[in-house]
Amino acid sequence: MAIKIIKEKCKGCTLCIKACPFDALKMVDKVAVVDEGKCTNCNACVPKCNFGAIEAAPEAEEVDLSAYKHVWVFAEQRHGKIMNVALELIGEGRRLAKEISDDTEVCAVLIGAEEDIAPLAQECIAYGADKVYKIADPLLKNYTTDGYTKVLEDAIKEYKPEIVLYGATHIGRDFAPRIAARCNTGLTADCTRLDVRVSSYIEFAKKNTTLDTSTLDPNDTSTGIKQTRPAFGGNLMATIVCPRTRPQMSTVRPGVMQKREKDENAKGEIVDVKTNISKDDIHIEIVDIVKSAKELVSLTDADIICSGGRGLGDPSGFELIKKFADKVGGVVGSSRAAVDAGWIDHSHQVGQTGTTVKPKIYFACGISGAIQHLAGMQTSDIIVAINKDADAPIFEVADYGIVGDLYKVIPEIIAEWDNAEALYDASTK
């Protein structure tokens, strides 16, 4: 809830407007009006009003943190196929659950039509879920913001999870903010790291054994998560906590977390959640789903990625990168500079504003290594950089660096690859 303006007392002095750091106030007919969409309840305007015309936003209702338990992962699926990021998050959720307490469970949440999600429940368990909440209804067959928000909000209010994780996909980025707003809690978007945070008292006392802890509550044994994400264009990493509300919510980039090994013999509980949804709850109708006819690239699942950057010189350079990728069994990636120049489609972009990848081998061809690009590929198993500039930042993260003209280096690599294949074929005859 935002601040409240008492119209009868407002004198139209505009002092509150000057004090608002979020541009949430304006004058209409010489009376201050609040834009509730912009107001953050900071109350900076309240002491500036000399006429008592502003009522402070009420304090948020205190939440009983102890009532919330377990880690939930939204197991995003599309047409009966679970997204890879969901499996990565189940593995990450299991790690967090173990660090929080022995009795904390990692739970997958499947939403959709029964025929699509029923076969996926055991798959979630095989990848580490202790429990699967299955929310099935024919109205949920295709994703709609209204429908999915309604059923997950109801489930969260009933079961009270402590943490809810979503993949930072198109669906996750649309879905998670709605749920956070409905649950009156915070959301940290595009996380690249999650860590367990113990209560302020325990954490402070461990690190500061000789300092005064009288202002901290010794009975506070709550836990939480530290959510780390790039900020200010990737120039620094911000760590965010949500100490007063629950559940704690994060969207996590695909390819950042480690997926667990699949265990076909794993056991877990499957819970059928009762839904209370009708057509009236969904305000749009999906008439048809039209898939793009253009060639799309799946960077997150690729074992080998050959990426080109500004060093290619012009768009024709991607013909060489495509030939290179085809030869080594990889896919074509790109830096943001090449995409912004219109040389290649955005679906190929690797980096902070593109796709985060973790292939076995990443070839960076003519890419200088801006921090935004490094944020999206530096966890690759092996990084091979090819660049004429020996001082390019990409060499700082590369496992192998080749200083030279990519138009000479790449054809030589392709030729050597052909020679190696010929030798292999000869040895197997």
Side-chain angles (χ1 to χ4, degrees):
M1 189 179 294
I3 58 162
K4 182 180 178 182
I5 303 295
I6 304 172
K7 294 181 180 180
E8 294 77 15
K9 294 184 177 182
C10 181
K11 306 299 182 183
C13 68
T14 73
L15 288 175
C16 58
I17 294 177
K18 294 174 183 176
C20 180
F22 302 102
D23 194 28
L25 289 162
K26 61 181 179 180
M27 283 291 165
V28 177
D29 296 331
K30 297 184 179 180
V31 175
V33 175
V34 185
D35 183 338
E36 295 191 2
K38 292 182 178 180
C39 182
T40 64
N41 301 345
C42 71
N43 293 331
C45 58
V46 177
K48 296 296 182 180
C49 180
N50 297 322
F51 308 102
I54 305 176
E55 283 187 3
E59 291 286 334
E61 187 177 334
E62 191 169 337
V63 175
D64 179 8
L65 303 184
S66 64
Y68 292 80
K69 297 183 183 299
H70 308 310
V71 179
W72 277 21
V73 172
F74 169 55
E76 182 182 334
Q77 61 83 27
R78 300 181 192 178
H79 308 294
K81 184 180 186 305
I82 197 162
M83 297 293 98
N84 205 50
V85 66
L87 303 179
E88 294 170 1
L89 287 178
I90 290 172
E92 180 67 7
R94 192 170 184 85
R95 180 185 70 81
L96 293 173
K98 282 185 176 180
E99 291 186 22
I100 292 171
S101 70
D102 291 337
D103 60 349
T104 299
E105 298 175 338
V106 57
C107 310
V109 182
L110 285 166
I111 304 176
E114 177 69 27
E115 63 272 16
D116 289 334
I117 66 174
L120 302 180
Q122 189 56 45
E123 185 177 358
C124 292
I125 292 170
Y127 277 100
D130 298 305
K131 186 179 291 184
V132 177
Y133 290 98
K134 195 154 60 73
I135 307 175
D137 192 283
L139 293 171
L140 303 172
K141 183 170 181 63
N142 294 312
Y143 172 78
T144 60
T145 307
D146 293 333
Y148 272 47
T149 299
K150 166 82 166 92
V151 297
L152 186 57
E153 178 195 0
D154 290 346
I156 287 173
K157 288 180 176 177
E158 180 178 356
Y159 294 101
K160 291 183 167 52
E162 183 178 9
I163 298 166
V164 183
L165 305 178
Y166 311 78
T169 62
H170 296 304
I171 287 177
R173 286 170 170 162
D174 174 69
F175 184 35
R178 291 293 186 97
I179 297 294
R182 295 284 185 91
C183 296
N184 195 31
T185 190
L187 170 72
T188 305
D190 280 359
C191 293
T192 57
R193 178 172 175 172
L194 300 172
D195 295 292
V196 171
R197 178 189 69 87
V198 297
S199 71
S200 58
Y201 176 80
I202 296 173
E203 194 170 58
F204 187 85
K206 279 183 178 178
K207 295 179 180 178
N208 305 276
T209 53
T210 62
L211 300 181
D212 180 24
T213 59
S214 60
T215 59
L216 299 174
D217 180 4
N219 297 314
D220 179 8
T221 58
S222 62
T223 58
I225 52 173
K226 295 186 286 188
Q227 304 156 100
T228 302
R229 71 179 305 277
F232 294 99
N235 291 308
L236 60 82
M237 303 299 284
T239 298
I240 299 165
V241 296
C242 184
R244 293 189 295 273
T245 59
R246 290 293 184 271
Q248 302 159 94
M249 294 192 184
S250 310
T251 61
V252 180
R253 292 187 173 193
V256 172
M257 305 304 179
Q258 190 67 41
K259 184 167 62 174
R260 296 180 81 243
E261 289 293 327
K262 189 175 184 180
D263 181 4
E264 298 285 3
N265 299 316
K267 304 293 182 185
E269 182 184 356
I270 299 174
V271 179
D272 287 304
V273 179
K274 208 171 181 182
T275 60
N276 181 26
I277 187 170
S278 67
K279 285 186 177 181
D280 294 337
D281 294 315
I282 302 174
H283 299 98
I284 65 167
E285 180 183 356
I286 297 177
V287 177
D288 193 12
I289 297 175
V290 181
K291 295 186 178 180
S292 174
K294 68 180 179 180
E295 182 182 0
L296 296 178
V297 59
S298 180
L299 292 169
T300 54
D301 299 327
D303 288 333
I304 300 175
I305 297 175
C306 302
S307 281
R310 196 195 303 272
L312 293 177
D314 57 61
S316 64
F318 277 102
E319 295 175 11
L320 177 60
I321 300 297
K322 178 71 165 61
K323 182 180 178 182
F324 184 27
D326 290 342
K327 176 57 64 176
V328 299
V331 299
V332 176
S334 168
S335 69
R336 177 174 177 172
V339 171
D340 288 348
W343 295 353
I344 195 167
D345 187 77
H346 179 269
S347 62
H348 294 265
Q349 184 177 324
V350 174
Q352 184 182 331
T353 52
T355 302
T356 300
V357 298
K358 193 179 181 181
K360 293 179 180 176
I361 305 176
Y362 187 86
F363 289 97
C365 309
I367 295 174
S368 62
I371 191 169
Q372 292 89 343
H373 187 78
L374 299 182
M377 47 65 73
Q378 61 188 354
T379 57
S380 304
D381 292 349
I382 297 174
I383 299 172
V384 182
I386 305 170
N387 202 296
K388 287 193 291 187
D389 181 5
D391 297 322
I394 191 71
F395 289 119
E396 295 179 12
V397 299
D399 297 285
Y400 300 94
I402 304 173
V403 179
D405 185 346
L406 66 91
Y407 287 102
K408 295 178 180 178
V409 174
I410 293 176
E412 289 186 22
I413 295 176
I414 292 173
E416 286 299 320
W417 195 281
D418 286 334
N419 291 338
E421 285 183 335
L423 288 172
Y424 176 78
D425 291 340
S427 67
T428 57
K429 287 183 181 178

